[in-house]
Amino acid sequence: MWSLCDHAAALSTIVPTVVISERTQVAIVGAGPAGLLLGALLHRHGIDTVILEARTREYAEARIRAGVLEQGSVDVLREAGVGERMGREGLRHEGIYLSFDSTRHRIAVSDLTGGRSVMIYGQTEVVKDLIAARLVSGAPLRFECADASVDGFAGDEPVVRYTHDGADRELRCDFIAGCDGFHGVCRPSIPGGAIEVWSREYPFAWLGILADVAPSTDELIYAYSDAGFALHSMRSPTVSRLYIQVDPHERIEDWSDARIWEQLHQRLASDGFSLTEGPVTEKSITPMRSFVAAPMRHGALLLAGDAAHIVPPTGAKGLNLAVADVTMLAEALVGRLRAGSDAALDEYSDRCLGRVWRAQHFSWWMTTMLHTDPTDDGYGRQLQRSQLRYVTGSTAAATSLAENYVGLPLPQTALLAGVEVDG
Ligand code: RFL
Ligand code: PHB
């Protein structure tokens, strides 16, 4: 006689697993800034999207990362309808300090770029604003989607398979947007021969802290010192964000708050500057890497943001590149899905990569100018000091830094001009 268990086991081999199937125009994998912003821009132009995120909402909203938004990114976020709180709480900055040899030098970024500026507003806040707007819009955003895989993008049946709420699901679509970050599944799904990759690892990492204390500076300080790089940034008038360069093999458990503050005091020291300590509420270590994968389009699979490229954070470019990518991607998809034009889609990868490589160079340049290289025999430090003196002493050199820091203007897409793309 069969037991109930035998019966269930036999049934499971006979009855095919039920797959819940649905369809959308654009399946977006990843609810980081790239995926969420793409969803917001497409929603405003009447394109159906479903956003699938592996993590919980709490996790996505708590991930501490970027803090500097270029003016072009601010404009796009406003256009996407999420600029209100940023406008109230963001801090507009018109300059940065470069600190070395006990002196702080101000780079007057706005004066040197015809009035352009950056906005200090945490990525956590951008993500919270985008999630809130998405939920209000009623468009689908699913957290805790496990085992996502992408398929069929080389032909005309793109599909994302995943599990959610214990059920196997498939999302059929016209296009898949791979916005799933550096460790996502979309880029690795592209056949090896169809993608070219360039990368560089650095012999250092950033240890970052968030501290409940008013910033000790009015503008960000990027500090070069023999003990290593340090950065004094901020999140609000009462919260400071600080980083120090550490060896990539360091463990966060070995860094007491006191040890971190001691290094910050030493590295940020300059005439007339004093650093105020406060309770540390978060600390973590991030390795540094440069990476580009090209092309960013493979049939109906389009990569955007960290899924396609990453930069070391010294130039504050990663989030801004993600915003630029999805602005161009939204325009391309609206052109295709509402007006039947492939022109912008065909240009998507090349348009993005021009900007990506400029940001790659700037981020590499800032990183190598400001970090001490453990393998350096002393020659490199002489070059770094010479470069820092040049950048802070020559208007031409300072203008080049400023222009890159505020970011290239975004191409004036129809979306940004608020124009109906299918009009
Ligand atoms: P994200 O933010 O990594 O989001 C990807 C999302 O995809 C999800 N995901 C999946 N979802 C479904 N299925 C899967 N199989 C999935 N695999 C992954 C992930 O859970 C996640 O939610 O990529 P996105 O959207 O491209 O955004 C990129 C930015 O996050 C990144 O470039 C910046 O944070 C970089 N960055 C900075 N950028 C700036 O522009 N200015 C800065 O000041 C700045 N500072 C920084 C930074 C990054 C840092 N770290 C920690 C790397 C400072 C630091 C310390
Ligand atoms: C930050 O505030 O987290 C930040 C600021 C400037 C950078 C990188 C990170 O270059």
Side-chain angles (χ1 to χ4, degrees):
M1 218 219 292
W2 276 23
S3 73
L4 213 55
C5 282
D6 292 336
H7 198 64
L11 268 182
S12 72
T13 56
I14 300 163
V15 179
T17 325
V18 177
V19 176
I20 302 171
S21 187
E22 66 182 326
R23 207 193 138 74
T24 189
Q25 289 178 292
V26 182
I28 300 176
V29 187
L36 289 165
L37 180 58
L38 179 65
L41 292 170
L42 291 177
H43 182 75
R44 285 176 96 75
H45 287 269
I47 306 283
D48 287 338
T49 59
V50 176
I51 304 181
L52 306 174
E53 165 60 44
R55 303 293 199 141
T56 63
R57 177 179 179 184
E58 294 67 34
Y59 184 92
E61 290 188 341
R63 213 163 13 201
I64 314 275
R65 283 184 162 189
V68 178
L69 294 171
E70 295 172 0
Q71 193 166 312
S73 302
V74 170
D75 295 343
V76 175
L77 289 166
R78 290 204 170 112
E79 183 58 34
V82 290
E84 199 265 331
R85 191 163 70 96
M86 177 180 65
R88 264 187 293 119
E89 297 179 12
L91 308 170
R92 184 171 181 270
H93 280 198
E94 299 185 349
I96 58 168
Y97 294 107
L98 291 182
S99 167
F100 61 98
D101 293 343
S102 307
T103 308
R104 258 184 313 149
H105 305 256
R106 182 168 188 268
I107 305 285
V109 165
S110 289
D111 292 347
L112 294 166
T113 57
R116 294 176 72 77
S117 59
V118 294
M119 179 80 93
I120 310 302
Y121 190 64
Q123 182 168 330
T124 41
E125 307 314 302
V126 173
V127 166
K128 280 184 211 162
D129 294 347
L130 284 163
I131 289 177
R134 179 84 182 178
L135 296 178
V136 167
S137 78
L141 164 56
R142 284 181 204 137
F143 292 99
E144 298 179 75
C145 297
D147 306 322
S149 65
V150 294
D151 204 359
F153 50 85
D156 52 10
E157 293 203 340
V159 60
V160 184
R161 299 195 174 84
Y162 64 105
T163 58
H164 187 248
D165 270 348
D168 290 336
R169 293 171 176 259
E170 60 173 29
L171 179 58
R172 302 202 163 269
C173 53
D174 298 316
F175 290 98
I176 301 169
C179 300
D180 50 350
F182 184 65
H183 300 287
V185 294
C186 290
R187 191 186 64 252
S189 305
I190 297 164
I195 195 161
E196 197 170 357
V197 160
W198 298 265
S199 70
R200 179 151 301 184
E201 305 261 335
Y202 298 87
F204 31 76
W206 275 17
L207 186 162
I209 61 166
L210 208 55
D212 272 341
V213 59
S216 303
T217 177
D218 55 341
E219 294 176 332
L220 272 56
I221 307 172
Y222 290 81
Y224 173 86
S225 87
D226 286 333
F229 170 75
L231 169 61
H232 190 329
S233 181
M234 61 196 74
R235 285 292 177 271
S236 74
T238 56
V239 176
S240 297
R241 177 78 169 145
L242 300 117
Y243 298 95
I244 50 172
Q245 168 189 351
V246 296
D247 184 278
H249 302 107
E250 289 285 346
R251 296 174 335 142
I252 196 69
E253 304 77 58
D254 296 331
W255 285 84
S256 65
D257 296 357
R259 185 177 174 204
I260 297 168
W261 285 113
E262 186 268 319
Q263 283 297 311
L264 284 164
H265 280 290
Q266 185 184 344
R267 298 179 192 196
L268 289 165
S270 69
D271 295 339
F273 174 76
S274 106
L275 177 66
T276 310
E277 297 182 17
V280 173
T281 56
E282 196 266 351
K283 58 180 167 184
S284 57
I285 294 180
T286 312
M288 291 178 114
R289 195 186 278 121
S290 298
F291 176 90
V292 181
M296 289 168 62
R297 176 184 178 190
H298 297 268
L301 173 62
L302 298 128
L303 301 177
D306 277 17
H309 42 71
I310 51 174
V311 283
T314 329
K317 288 288 162 250
L319 172 58
N320 294 295
L321 283 179
V323 170
D325 286 355
V326 297
T327 305
M328 292 188 259
L329 182 52
E331 186 188 33
L333 290 171
V334 172
R336 176 71 193 84
L337 293 168
R338 293 201 51 192
S341 164
D342 279 330
L345 210 49
D346 290 343
E347 284 176 10
Y348 168 68
S349 181
D350 286 347
R351 267 177 109 187
C352 290
L353 286 167
R355 187 183 193 88
V356 165
W357 277 111
R358 177 86 304 276
Q360 287 285 334
H361 180 268
F362 178 64
S363 304
W364 166 86
W365 178 76
M366 286 284 279
T367 301
T368 49
M369 176 171 72
L370 288 164
H371 291 72
T372 48
D373 181 345
T375 64
D376 177 42
D377 57 5
Y379 178 81
R381 292 187 193 199
Q382 295 297 338
L383 292 184
Q384 288 172 312
R385 286 202 157 80
S386 166
Q387 183 66 22
L388 282 162
R389 282 194 293 267
Y390 179 50
V391 165
T392 52
S394 148
T395 305
T399 305
S400 170
L401 188 156
E403 196 170 73
N404 281 281
Y405 195 77
V406 296
L408 302 172
L410 271 167
Q412 189 57 33
T413 65
L415 282 181
L416 275 183
V419 169
E420 274 297 311
V421 182
D422 60 340

